[in-house]
Amino acid sequence: MPPAAASDALANARAMHEDPVGFYARCQARHGDTFPIATPLGTLVMSGDPAAIAALFAADDEVFGVFAPETQLPFLGPSSVFLLQGTAHREARRAMARLFQPRRIGDQGPDILRIARRHLAAAPRGEVLEFLDLTHAISLEVIARLVFGATGTARVAEVAAATEHFLHAIQPGIMYDPAQRRPANPAWARFLAAREALDALIAEEVAARRAASPGADMLGALVEEGLPPAAIRDALVTLLLAGHETTAISAAWAAHFVGRDAALAARLREEIAPVADDPAAIARLPLLDATCAEVLRLRPIGTEIPRLLRAPLDFGGHALPPGVVAAACATLLHARPDLYPEPEVFRPERFLERRFAAHEYIPFGGGHRRCLGAAFGLLEMKLLLAALLTGPAFRLESRAPVPAIRRNLTRTLGPADGVRMVLEEA
């Protein structure tokens, strides 16, 4: 084991929540690329070393167990791909991978673009709004229509509301402290009510699909797989927890960085204009792709990718025993000047100049547990940014840098101000 970087578990947990980028950078400066951190959930060995991350992602999936399942079980459900391991995990991933086949994702592009443009058209003009509120609303409707398959304004609103109530009911206290999961705790009671409402809605939709045509949405694909209702429920909840706020936050960060660079915004508009109504062509645009990649480099979806070891692993030159958590640190890796010269500068061109290996750029994790919805999330991010850039002119309230804070239970670093902007009259 490498020498300890920080031994106060509660103080470390607080720092990892409040300022993970700064905390990890300080640990790295004192102890090198790979260092252990004591946490209330056990010892976590963090690394921003590309070689260590390559070894972690290349290890056989039997090496890994599920990290802190007790924090996630009541929310995701026992059949969630996040909580399975071994053969069960591989089978669940195969089933869910069919939801994200390239043709299926491509077919959803026009709907995503229409939803984004409709929300932008309805947004107020000439007054300050938080773009993150818009991207949240867009993402919720995308989930309601394309994941749950809801149709009709009233049903879409019902699904979106149930989803939002469920997400907001998951509070850190009941997630990280099982002792708080008791009937007398109002937070736990609110969560149980929100979960029951969402589960009932999912059960209605599953029953309707089985009685008629499954449909082309993701719920329909799960029904076609022949999964039992409980497994379908857990898969849908996993999708909404993993994909809703993460995509909304990434799209908001994209608006922030592009809004601070008028020259880049103009180049992107020029690139998008000839294919503005063709989502498949938009997804292939090189500068737009590089811009989104640079957003995810500076503001990765997960700041750390933890793996609980069930077997020994050589990690960054250190022999780690079973029971330790090895974690790839995206914020440290993405800030390495040997990989990304002037790493603090937002410069999309770096992704046009070279390709980065899977262990050098990890916004969606890597290895056997890499995010299954990466392509879908990236497509949604690109189309939301394209809709903004081809819609009404916008200006940020301020071009000053915005602090990154934990915005949700997926631990994504979001903009502290929600990306405040003004949409101009046409």
Side-chain angles (χ1 to χ4, degrees):
M1 289 275 287
S7 57
D8 186 332
L10 289 176
N12 295 340
R14 195 159 40 247
M16 291 166 71
H17 178 80
E18 295 174 355
D19 179 27
V21 177
F23 177 62
Y24 298 150
R26 291 190 294 274
C27 290
Q28 182 191 48
R30 294 172 188 158
H31 302 281
D33 278 336
T34 304
F35 48 86
I37 301 171
T39 82
L41 298 175
T43 300
L44 185 152
V45 180
M46 189 78 70
S47 185
D49 174 15
I53 293 170
L56 184 69
F57 289 166
D60 188 276
D61 63 348
E62 296 292 345
V63 169
F64 305 119
V66 177
F67 174 50
E70 69 280 1
T71 66
Q72 305 170 67
L73 183 60
F75 315 103
L76 294 174
S79 310
S80 170
V81 69
F82 286 172
L83 299 181
L84 299 174
Q85 58 191 52
T87 301
H89 175 255
R90 289 191 292 274
E91 290 176 352
R93 275 188 71 91
R94 276 195 294 270
M96 292 193 70
R98 296 188 182 99
L99 309 184
F100 299 106
Q101 292 172 344
R103 176 178 290 182
R104 183 184 295 274
I105 293 173
D107 289 346
Q108 293 168 333
D111 289 323
I112 295 172
L113 192 57
R114 277 194 296 271
I115 292 168
R117 285 180 171 160
R118 180 159 33 78
H119 280 267
L120 281 164
R125 301 295 191 263
E127 61 185 70
V128 177
L129 57 84
E130 291 191 11
F131 190 61
L132 183 56
D133 289 340
L134 266 180
T135 59
H136 272 307
I138 292 166
S139 180
L140 269 176
E141 185 170 347
V142 167
I143 284 173
R145 291 188 183 275
L146 305 185
V147 177
F148 284 81
T151 58
T153 303
R155 188 59 166 175
V156 168
E158 184 182 9
V159 171
T163 299
E164 194 163 27
H165 290 158
F166 175 77
L167 291 171
H168 288 169
I170 305 175
Q171 299 299 314
I174 62 174
M175 187 174 192
Y176 294 108
D177 182 6
Q180 295 191 30
R181 300 172 194 166
R182 59 188 192 278
N185 182 355
W188 181 240
R190 280 193 300 272
F191 166 72
L192 291 178
R195 184 178 68 181
E196 183 179 356
L198 181 63
D199 287 358
L201 188 151
I202 292 172
E204 286 177 13
E205 290 291 332
V206 171
R209 302 310 175 78
R210 287 186 163 160
S213 171
D217 49 80
M218 293 187 184
L219 173 55
L222 290 169
V223 170
E224 284 188 323
E225 285 290 318
L227 298 178
I232 293 175
R233 178 268 176 204
D234 292 353
L236 285 177
V237 171
T238 298
L239 287 171
L240 73 89
L241 278 172
H244 164 44
E245 287 197 304
T246 51
T247 301
I249 287 172
S250 294
W253 275 124
H256 166 76
F257 284 111
V258 172
R260 295 179 63 202
D261 189 335
L264 173 61
R267 290 168 60 203
L268 285 167
R269 288 191 180 97
E270 183 178 359
E271 181 183 62
I272 295 166
V275 295
D277 295 320
D278 184 345
I282 290 172
R284 295 192 296 268
L285 294 174
L287 182 59
L288 179 64
D289 183 73
T291 298
C292 291
E294 180 72 340
V295 170
L296 293 172
R297 180 188 71 83
L298 280 170
R299 298 291 184 265
I301 290 166
T303 52
E304 60 280 319
I305 299 101
R307 299 285 186 266
L308 174 66
L309 299 184
R310 300 170 64 195
L313 179 74
D314 186 284
F315 187 59
H318 303 281
L320 302 188
V324 168
V325 176
C329 184
T331 59
L332 291 179
L333 178 69
H334 292 177
R336 292 181 68 95
D338 55 338
L339 290 175
Y340 305 99
E342 296 182 290
E344 72 287 351
V345 176
F346 182 80
R347 196 176 74 84
E349 290 77 10
R350 69 177 87 240
F351 286 92
L352 299 174
E353 296 163 357
R354 65 162 286 188
R355 294 179 65 86
F356 294 91
H359 60 279
E360 296 174 333
Y361 177 68
I362 57 171
F364 297 103
H368 302 285
R369 289 182 177 263
R370 185 178 186 273
C371 176
L372 284 164
F376 182 80
L378 188 56
L379 173 66
E380 189 176 345
M381 181 183 177
K382 289 178 181 180
L383 295 180
L384 264 62
L385 183 56
L388 176 66
L389 288 167
T390 56
F394 75 95
R395 57 179 173 81
L396 299 182
E397 183 183 46
S398 169
R399 291 190 177 183
V402 171
I405 62 171
R406 299 282 194 196
R407 296 287 309 210
N408 60 11
L409 290 170
T410 59
R411 300 177 61 78
T412 306
L413 289 176
D417 72 343
V419 185
R420 293 170 62 82
M421 66 167 61
V422 176
L423 300 177
E424 307 288 5
E425 295 287 355

